[in-house]
């Protein structure tokens, strides 16, 4: 392990983070908030740590191992420094809460420990949502786009970009990162304009756009999107949540070919759309028959929450914790699906689900006829057995970590549904769960140890497990 190279790189990324903190600092100054000095001290401390690490003389070149180390350790240190404004401003009573809130932001989870969001200083709220937006496309990917010193960082890109098939859409890695960020920024600006036109203030438009495009879900309101009581605002947000859940490389190909064909013909996108339509239909029927809601209102509530949960955004337009058991069961199931490969969504990802279903069907057919030769394909391309084995291993590790998290919460005294949904929500980077962590509640009442375990699950889920789990292997650190 070339630790000098790892820590030097992390130092450069921390310097970038410190300069990004100047954005919420300006908002704090403009609003004469109590968080001005907290941001000043946080920037100074982050600059100091970043400068000390960047002074370490790097040696050697990046390999996959160094890439995993930079991404795994880098996200932990970024979160540790990003938590300073919360703690130093007194927004959170303990550093544990500050770390949890920051990890929830950077991993685009949206699980919060803040009981009264609307009373929080505006600079802090902007920083909270900005961590979402940065984490959506990835602070490491941003660094690849900005810093030329990471031109050998293909391993960083592969370690951080979500999904089983990292897609290099242009030949040069730095240009790939820049292209992804340009598409991300274009969607962001479009949604900010649309929400402002729909009646939101510019400040709240930015807050909710950051939460939407990052599929994070942090809001400036205690009741989230429900507090606006606007069909138009919900329509805009649901549209951009859906778009954020699609593979961003497909947008590049669609623009390059000046055609929607890359989006329409993609297997994963079609399955993603089909699941949303089916889940919305089933929940709508449940709301109409069990809660006697009008058809239009049921469709509106069901559609918003289905897209919000499957894309792992976590916005709420209704207290879905009061929905019928069948409707809640569908939402719980969607927590494991997630968005498409290469999207800002979390959880298992649609492509992995599709491959596992096709592989299971293949095994059933081979059990009937052992001599039958069947290939598992995605987008008409046969997948090597090695890729299928990796996906199967990922699925096992994902379920194992989810089970560990749920059992740990039960051991701290939480009841069954709260424990299960909190674990599923954090490892899937979703945010709200049911009962004790439902849409009208938060994670502040959990045991301190539970918050650290859930923070670990958030990070593991965001980084697709391996960059984090590798850190626990003694062999990983050997020369």
């Amino acid at each position: 392990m070339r630790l000098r190279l790892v820590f030097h790189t992390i130092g450069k990324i921390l310097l970038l983070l410190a300069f990004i903190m100047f954005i919420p600092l300006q908002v704090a100054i403009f609003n004469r908030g109590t968080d001005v000095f907290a941001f000043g001290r946080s920037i100074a401390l982050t600059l100091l740590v970043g400068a000390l690490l960047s002074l370490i003389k790097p040696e050697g070149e990046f390999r996959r191992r160094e890439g995993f180390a930079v991404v795994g350790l880098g996200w932990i240190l970024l979160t540790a420094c990003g938590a300073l404004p919360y703690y130093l401003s007194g927004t959170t009573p303990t550093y544990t809460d500050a770390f949890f809130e920051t990890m929830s932001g950077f991993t685009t989870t949206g699980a919060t420990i803040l009981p009264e969001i609307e009373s929080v200083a505006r600079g802090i709220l902007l920083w909270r949502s900005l961590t979402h937006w940065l984490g959506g496309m990835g602070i490491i990917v941003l660094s690849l786009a900005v810093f030329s010193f990471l031109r050998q960082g293909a391993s960083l890109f592969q370690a951080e970009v979500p999904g089983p098939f990292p897609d290099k859409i242009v030949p040069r890695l730095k240009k790939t990162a820049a292209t992804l960020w340009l598409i991300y920024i274009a969607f962001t600006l479009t949604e900010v304009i649309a929400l402002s036109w729909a009646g939101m203030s510019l400040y709240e438009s930015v807050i909710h756009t950051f939460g939407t495009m990052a599929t994070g879900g942090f809001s400036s309101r205690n009741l989230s999107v429900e507090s606006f009581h606007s069909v138009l605002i919900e329509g805009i947000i649901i549209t951009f949540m859906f778009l954020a859940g699609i593979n961003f490389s497909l947008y590049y190909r669609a623009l390059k070919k000046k055609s929607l064909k890359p989006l329409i013909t993609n297997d994963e996108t079609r399955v993603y759309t089909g699941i949303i339509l089916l889940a919305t239909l089933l929940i709508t029927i449940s709301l109409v028959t069990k809660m006697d809601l009008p058809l239009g209102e049921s469709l509106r509530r069901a559609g918003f929450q289905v897209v919000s949960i499957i894309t792992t955004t976590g916005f709420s337009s209704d207290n879905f914790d009061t929905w019928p058991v069948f409707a809640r069961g569908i939402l719980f199931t969607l927590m494991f699906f997630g968005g498409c490969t290469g999207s800002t969504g979390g959880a298992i990802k649609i492509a992995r689900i599709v491959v596992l279903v096709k592989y299971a069907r293949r095994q059933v057919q081979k059990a009937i006829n052992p001599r039958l030769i069947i290939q598992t394909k995605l987008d008409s391309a046969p997948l090597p057995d090695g890729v299928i084995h990796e996906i199967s291993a990922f699925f096992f590790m994902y379920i194992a970590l989810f089970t560990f998290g749920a059992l740990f919460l039960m051991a701290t005294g939480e009841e069954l549904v709260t424990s299960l949904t909190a674990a599923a929500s954090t490892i899937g980077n979703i945010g709200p769960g049911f009962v004790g962590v439902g849409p009208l509640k938060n994670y502040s009442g959990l045991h301190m140890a539970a918050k650290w375990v859930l923070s670990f699950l958030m990070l593991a889920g965001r980084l697709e497990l391996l960059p984090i789990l590798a850190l626990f292997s003694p062999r990983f650190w050997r020369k």
Side-chain angles (χ1 to χ4, degrees), residues 118-130:
E118 291 169 27
S119 63
V120 176
R122 283 201 158 197
I124 293 292
L125 278 184
L126 180 63
W127 172 240
R128 181 172 175 257
S129 293
L130 188 56

Side-chain angles (χ1 to χ4, degrees), residues 6-159:
V6 170
F7 287 119
H8 174 82
T9 305
I10 292 173
K12 294 287 188 180
I13 296 170
L14 285 175
L15 291 177
L16 175 62
L17 180 71
F19 285 110
I20 291 173
M21 282 187 188
F22 277 99
I23 299 173
L25 173 60
Q26 300 307 310
V27 173
I29 293 172
F30 179 79
N31 288 279
R32 298 179 182 178
T34 56
D35 49 346
V36 173
F37 291 107
F39 276 112
R41 285 182 288 175
S42 300
I43 290 170
L45 288 171
T46 306
L47 281 173
L48 177 62
V49 175
L52 290 175
L53 290 177
S54 62
L55 287 175
I56 298 174
K57 186 177 180 180
E59 56 183 19
E61 295 183 355
F62 271 105
R63 300 169 299 179
R64 186 176 180 84
R65 186 178 299 188
E66 283 73 29
F68 274 19
V70 168
V71 170
L73 295 176
W75 274 72
I76 293 171
L77 285 175
L78 285 167
T79 302
C81 291
L84 292 174
Y86 294 106
Y87 184 63
L88 295 177
S89 66
T91 303
T92 58
T94 65
Y95 184 77
T96 295
D97 286 345
F99 190 91
F100 181 94
E101 195 76 13
T102 309
M103 183 63 78
S104 180
F106 277 129
T107 58
T108 73
T109 302
T112 184
I113 50 81
L114 300 178
E116 292 295 332
I117 297 170
E118 291 169 27
S119 63
V120 176
R122 283 201 158 197
I124 293 292
L125 278 184
L126 180 63
W127 172 240
R128 181 172 175 257
S129 293
L130 188 56
T131 57
H132 255 358
W133 192 72
L134 292 171
M137 192 56 65
I139 190 70
I140 310 296
V141 176
L142 175 61
S143 301
L144 287 170
V146 174
F147 292 132
S148 60
F149 76 91
L150 289 177
R151 60 184 177 273
Q152 296 174 324
S155 53
L156 297 183
F157 182 77
Q158 293 172 357

Side-chain angles (χ1 to χ4, degrees), residues 251-270:
Y251 295 127
Y252 172 81
R253 291 172 181 167
L255 288 171
K256 191 174 181 180
K257 293 183 178 181
K258 298 180 180 180
S259 169
L260 294 177
K261 188 176 180 180
L263 291 164
I264 297 171
T265 59
N266 181 260
D267 284 350
E268 188 179 24
T269 305
R270 288 188 293 181

